Amino acid sequence: LRERLEAGLRAATPEVIVFGQNQARLPNTTLFTHPGLRAETAVIAFDLEGVAVSSGSACSSGKVGRSHVLEAMGVAPDLAACAIRVSLGWNTTAADIEQFLTTFKSLSARHLARSAA
């Protein structure tokens, strides 16, 4: 499911960056960014559509400010501010992934339209 989610993100817009995509990592977590789309904006938009996501790395959960993990990875501050974390649970389904991707496509299309204007 994580691979389907990440492939769908990359297919939705080439600007998406998936952190650690070619590294050993947890199978149920994706951390990605869409440059220029602030994490706070995305978290609220996802929430309004019934999709729960978080911002930043799991190691920065509950903190306000830049993640020390992303900083140690050499991620630029502007990209770190756009980081969105998706965690999959034991009951996550393919339909949940599709709902997430549909919401992301709509959100990124609205964002790209505003940025172009």
Side-chain angles (χ1 to χ4, degrees), residues 56-72:
S57 69
C59 298
S60 67
S61 183
K63 297 178 185 173
V64 177
R66 188 166 173 213
S67 163
H68 71 281
V69 173
L70 294 177
E71 183 176 12

Side-chain angles (χ1 to χ4, degrees), residues 1-67:
L1 290 175
R2 184 192 75 189
E3 297 305 318
R4 182 182 299 186
L5 179 134
E6 291 177 0
L9 285 169
R10 288 187 297 272
T13 177
E15 289 87 7
V16 165
I17 298 166
V18 176
F19 294 108
Q21 73 181 39
N22 296 318
Q23 303 298 315
R25 55 195 168 109
L26 293 173
N28 70 320
T29 306
T30 294
L31 182 65
F32 74 96
T33 188
H34 183 288
L37 176 61
R38 302 277 309 167
E40 298 85 11
T41 302
V43 169
I44 292 168
F46 276 115
D47 184 59
L48 290 172
E49 295 296 324
V51 178
V53 298
S54 300
S55 61
S57 69
C59 298
S60 67
S61 183
K63 297 178 185 173
V64 177
R66 188 166 173 213
S67 163

Side-chain angles (χ1 to χ4, degrees), residues 34 105-117:
H34 183 288
K105 289 173 190 173
S106 175
L107 172 63
S108 63
R110 285 192 311 265
H111 170 72
L112 292 173
R114 282 190 206 131
S115 294

